[in-house]
Amino acid sequence: RLCSDYLNVHLHPKSVYVVRQYMHDGECGCLEAFGQGESLLQDPGCLEELEDRLHFYVEECDYLQGFQVLCDLHDGFSGVGAKATELLYDEYSGKGILTWGLAPGTRNLGIPMVVGFFFLPTQDSPKSLYRALNVALGLAHLSRHSSLLCPLALSGGLGLR
């Protein structure tokens, strides 16, 4: 039923954390807004679980040099990535944090194009506004706590021409 059902890579159980309320059949629906993702990691239970999983892998390192964070920018995961990067920055100061901000192409998403500082929506819908705000907030917050932020997108997916 889901794309993860066809995942052939066997992942370590400590490397996967399923957020129940934002599953396809969850009670809250989709993780669409930056604030939803940010508030997800403000929940003490979720934050503690993330820290436990992170410490499990950090303790396995002989010489930890830094972290790589891959984060969607166009949806609520930009908020999750921003809080996770802030956690890494606070807890492991002095270690490099390379963040990859990912965004899909705009053809199917209707993400507004940015001209100068003005947003020009390609479709008049709340989702296109959410996506533009998620990208803007995600880039601002991720760049604050990353050593290097590399936005990656296809076909102007970040709203830039």
Side-chain angles (χ1 to χ4, degrees):
R1 291 183 0 188
L2 306 173
C3 62
S4 60
D5 294 339
Y6 301 102
L7 184 66
N8 291 328
V9 178
H10 298 287
L11 302 172
H12 192 278
K14 286 277 191 182
S15 66
V16 178
Y17 179 67
V18 178
V19 181
R20 299 273 178 223
Q21 65 261 37
Y22 293 110
M23 291 178 64
H24 291 283
D25 55 352
E27 63 207 36
C28 295
C30 295
L31 187 58
E32 292 180 342
F34 182 88
Q36 286 176 313
E38 201 174 35
S39 67
L40 184 67
L41 286 186
Q42 290 174 346
D43 174 39
C46 184
L47 185 61
E48 183 180 329
E49 186 70 28
L50 177 67
E51 287 176 342
D52 288 345
R53 290 167 187 265
L54 179 63
H55 288 291
F56 173 78
Y57 283 105
V58 168
E59 290 170 1
E60 295 293 318
C61 294
D62 290 332
Y63 181 66
L64 179 67
Q65 295 180 353
F67 300 92
Q68 287 193 48
V69 178
L70 281 85
C71 177
D72 286 339
L73 290 175
H74 68 283
D75 56 13
F77 284 104
S78 61
V80 173
K83 289 304 278 185
T85 306
E86 183 180 344
L87 169 75
L88 292 173
Y89 181 80
D90 291 341
E91 193 137 338
Y92 300 98
S93 61
K95 302 295 181 189
I97 301 172
L98 172 60
T99 305
W100 302 92
L102 310 172
T106 59
R107 287 203 183 357
N108 298 328
L109 293 177
I111 294 177
M113 296 295 125
V114 177
V115 179
F117 294 103
F118 301 100
F119 288 104
L120 300 174
T122 56
Q123 296 177 5
D124 292 322
S125 73
K127 280 193 171 192
S128 65
L129 180 61
Y130 273 144
R131 289 183 177 126
L133 290 173
N134 289 336
V135 169
L137 288 169
L139 288 174
H141 284 77
L142 287 169
S143 64
R144 188 176 309 137
H145 297 108
S146 299
S147 304
L148 178 65
L149 171 63
C150 297
L152 296 175
L154 297 172
S155 171
L158 293 172
L160 303 174
R161 288 275 184 200

